[in-house]
Amino acid sequence: MTIQLGILLALVCAFVSNLGFFFKHRGACECPKVDVLHPFRTARQLYSSKWFAIGMGIATTAWIFHVAALALAPISVVQVVLAGGVVMIGIMAQRLFGVEVGNKQWWGLALTCLGLILLAITFPHSTEGSHSNFNTPAMIAFEAGLFGIGGLLIMGPRVGAPAHHHGVMLGAAAGVLFGVSDVAIKALTGIVGEDGLLAMAASPWLYVTLAASVAAFFSSARGLQDGDAVSVIAITGTAANITTVAAGIIVFGDPLPGSTLGIVLQAVAFVLVIVASAMTPPARSADGQVAGGHGFTPAPAAA
């Protein structure tokens, strides 16, 4: 029952998290551009938007569901369920927020979902217990490496990336950094389970969680301002999923596939995710405007 409850909580988290992202997108597009050199002013401006504040409230609820799911089920099991949430993005965008999702985007979302599910299910995992024990040196190296990748994605055009892709790159950076936070939270659930809440307060992984969450917050908000809702939300979820699935092997000791078929399916999964990213052009509103930025604010569809 513990594993089943964790799966149910992850499913709820997937829906609630996507809902929060769409509200945050609507609010972020009403605010001045995110300026990390003035973090307190930027945060105040973002929270002054009713829609962004609602989105953050919803996202906080999703985070609680996610933490509970990670405490009850292995991280790779949780990610299988969250991967299915990628398809929800298109449905929610079209039905609830009036965003027209084209055929290429539907194919991109479907291939992303399929690739993530293949990636997750081909990693053998324990079906007993939450599997929260971790290798400390591997954890340090993994989290430090991801912080570096997130930093490169945030820099974007400064390191030669196309400027018009910066919104999606910021979404990817946010996903990687959310993944850093998720991996640290998974480790903290094991620490709390063994040594209690006081041990969590003394753990460096608590502060890694906080630092990654703050960086992801600003990166995600700016990405939602610069890119369209569907693409940015999809790439954020995809990056977070791949990050945490990889952590299952590298940090928490989930075994690799024991067969050639499993390894081939993993390779196919990565190819599907890459192809899907290339197939996800900007979404458009009903009047033909490109979603994202200050020129378009998605409105809830009429009841």
Side-chain angles (χ1 to χ4, degrees):
M1 284 300 296
T2 299
I3 301 295
Q4 283 75 14
L5 181 57
I7 291 172
L8 176 61
L9 291 172
L11 182 61
V12 174
C13 171
F15 175 81
V16 176
S17 178
N18 288 337
L19 185 64
F21 266 120
F22 279 109
F23 277 108
K24 286 192 291 182
H25 175 266
R26 185 175 185 181
C29 289
E30 297 175 347
C31 298
K33 291 289 187 180
V34 169
D35 183 0
V36 294
L37 297 179
H38 300 90
F40 295 107
R41 184 179 68 187
T42 293
R44 185 172 64 252
Q45 290 170 339
L46 288 170
Y47 277 100
S48 68
S49 166
K50 175 182 69 175
W51 296 114
F52 189 87
I54 291 173
M56 283 302 298
I58 294 171
T60 300
T61 303
W63 179 81
I64 293 171
F65 283 122
H66 195 188
V67 172
L70 288 172
L72 294 172
I75 194 169
S76 53
V77 173
V78 172
Q79 296 315 125
V80 170
V81 180
L82 293 180
V86 174
V87 168
M88 294 183 193
I89 294 170
I91 298 170
M92 295 171 71
Q94 194 161 276
R95 298 293 184 181
L96 300 180
F97 292 88
V99 178
E100 181 183 343
V101 183
N103 289 334
K104 281 190 175 181
Q105 283 190 307
W106 281 117
W107 275 107
L109 291 170
L111 289 176
T112 299
C113 179
L114 178 59
L116 289 173
I117 291 175
L118 278 177
L119 190 62
I121 64 177
T122 52
F123 286 141
H125 52 261
S126 171
T127 56
E128 297 181 1
S130 61
H131 205 196
S132 299
N133 295 325
F134 60 93
N135 180 289
T136 299
M139 180 84 159
I140 293 171
F142 187 82
E143 297 285 72
L146 289 181
F147 264 119
I149 292 171
L152 288 174
L153 289 168
I154 289 171
M155 292 175 67
R158 296 183 181 180
V159 293
H164 61 280
H165 287 159
H166 197 212
V168 173
M169 292 182 69
L170 287 170
V176 169
L177 292 168
F178 281 131
V180 171
S181 177
D182 291 342
V183 172
I185 288 171
K186 179 64 177 177
L188 287 172
T189 62
I191 292 171
V192 170
E194 291 182 3
D195 303 316
L197 287 173
L198 290 178
M200 180 183 73
S203 172
W205 304 117
L206 174 62
Y207 306 101
V208 170
T209 299
L210 294 174
S213 297
V214 170
F217 169 82
F218 288 110
S219 180
S220 176
R222 183 59 186 263
L224 290 170
Q225 290 178 330
D226 291 352
D228 72 273
V230 173
S231 297
V232 172
I233 296 171
I235 197 66
T236 300
T238 300
N241 271 281
I242 290 177
T243 298
T244 47
V245 168
I249 293 178
I250 299 171
V251 176
F252 297 100
D254 290 349
L256 287 166
S259 67
T260 303
L261 176 61
I263 295 173
V264 170
L265 287 176
Q266 283 187 8
V268 170
F270 278 109
V271 171
L272 286 174
V273 171
I274 293 170
V275 171
S277 299
M279 291 181 63
T280 310
R284 295 182 179 273
S285 64
D287 61 1
Q289 289 180 292
V290 175
H294 292 274
F296 169 67
T297 299

